[in-house]
Amino acid sequence: GQNIDQPTEMTATEGAIVQINCTYQTSGFNGLFWYQQHAGEAPTFLSYNVLDGLEEKGRFSSFLSRSKGYSYLLLKELQMKDSASYLCAALDSNYQLIWGAGTKLIIKP
Amino acid sequence: IAGITQAPTSQILAAGRRMTLRCTQDMRHNAMYWYRQDLGLGLRLIHYSNTAGTTGKGEVPDGYSVSRANTDDFPLTLASAVPSQTSVYFCASSENGQATGELFFGEGSRLTVL
């Protein structure tokens, strides 16, 4: 079966760095997405990786290892507004998105 | 502001009633989707449409139907609501299929079936 695993909840301190991990098992693979979802709001796109390596976009970076079925989202210089759920989703061989349950990130002052 | 509009935002519905969730986008995207989001589970695809006039079944289509008469509108109908359909429903669109990347989501419709 197809599966996405990510931690349910993480806590970090304002100004610090946090890494949210995601492992995936899919039938074929055509890319890995990260979305941010604030409570009660719609998910919004953060990043897309299809090749191995690190993609940096401001305070957020996303890493992919296709051989390990692994990705992480790295958030630097954490701000209170980064408190949200972070959704990992993998695109399978049929170009269908398989979604993880999300990681709720709590930022403490 | 361009984007996706869903209605209603929230609804309480008696079991057995018919309900249509509306979704309209003004980005001229070809593909549209309906997802449900339940606590502890990932987003699950109900139905999708890759272009006006075509629709397809997602992971959890039973009890739901959709239509895509034009590019902009993609309503989701529950013919006879059941309590297990209590969920938050998100409509989304993308320029083409999911392979092309970014999905744009509406603000969601919270549905409670009693």
Side-chain angles (χ1 to χ4, degrees):
Chain A
Q2 307 199 96
N3 193 51
I4 305 285
D5 283 319
Q6 51 181 133
T8 302
E9 186 174 297
M10 298 181 70
T11 302
T13 304
E14 190 177 14
I17 299 173
V18 70
Q19 178 175 311
I20 302 174
N21 296 324
C22 170
T23 58
Y24 61 89
Q25 291 178 304
T26 55
S27 55
F29 178 77
N30 284 296
L32 194 292
F33 293 86
W34 284 96
Y35 281 77
Q36 180 189 58
Q37 185 178 24
H38 286 100
E41 298 184 7
T44 55
F45 172 81
L46 286 178
S47 68
Y48 170 66
N49 295 65
V50 66
L51 300 176
D52 285 356
L54 187 69
E55 297 272 347
E56 297 186 72
K57 191 184 294 185
R59 293 189 299 114
F60 292 12
S61 302
S62 55
F63 172 83
L64 176 67
S65 169
R66 294 176 66 127
S67 62
K68 295 182 179 178
Y70 168 69
S71 173
Y72 67 73
L73 183 68
L74 191 71
L75 291 73
K76 302 177 184 177
E77 302 170 14
L78 286 169
Q79 301 175 10
M80 297 304 292
K81 68 178 182 180
D82 298 330
S83 292
S85 288
Y86 292 86
L87 313 181
C88 174
L91 203 58
D92 71 9
S93 58
N94 294 320
Y95 293 96
Q96 297 297 313
L97 277 171
I98 310 300
W99 294 83
T103 299
K104 183 178 180 179
L105 178 62
I106 299 167
I107 310 297
K108 295 187 174 180
Chain B
I1 298 177
I4 296 184
T5 303
Q6 290 184 232
T9 303
S10 179
Q11 182 76 44
I12 299 174
L13 188 66
R17 298 298 294 268
R18 181 183 179 89
M19 177 72 195
T20 295
L21 303 180
R22 300 183 298 278
C23 176
T24 299
Q25 55 109 352
D26 61 3
M27 297 176 283
R28 307 305 292 172
H29 284 172
N30 286 312
M32 297 187 74
Y33 316 86
W34 274 105
Y35 284 94
R36 58 178 291 172
Q37 187 174 43
D38 302 289
L39 196 63
L41 299 177
L43 288 164
R44 291 183 292 170
L45 183 65
I46 304 170
H47 284 287
Y48 65 93
S49 169
N50 286 328
T51 189
T54 69
T55 62
K57 294 182 179 180
E59 180 186 354
V60 288
D62 294 343
Y64 305 95
S65 63
V66 292
S67 62
R68 186 88 185 277
N70 57 60
T71 298
D72 299 342
D73 301 301
F74 191 45
L76 177 74
T77 298
L78 289 68
S80 178
V82 295
S84 62
Q85 292 177 312
T86 293
S87 186
V88 180
Y89 291 86
F90 285 100
C91 181
S93 73
S94 64
E95 191 168 356
N96 289 299
Q98 294 185 103
T100 61
E102 183 176 358
L103 293 181
F104 294 83
F105 286 85
E107 291 300 313
S109 296
R110 183 176 295 274
L111 184 66
T112 302
V113 182
L114 301 175

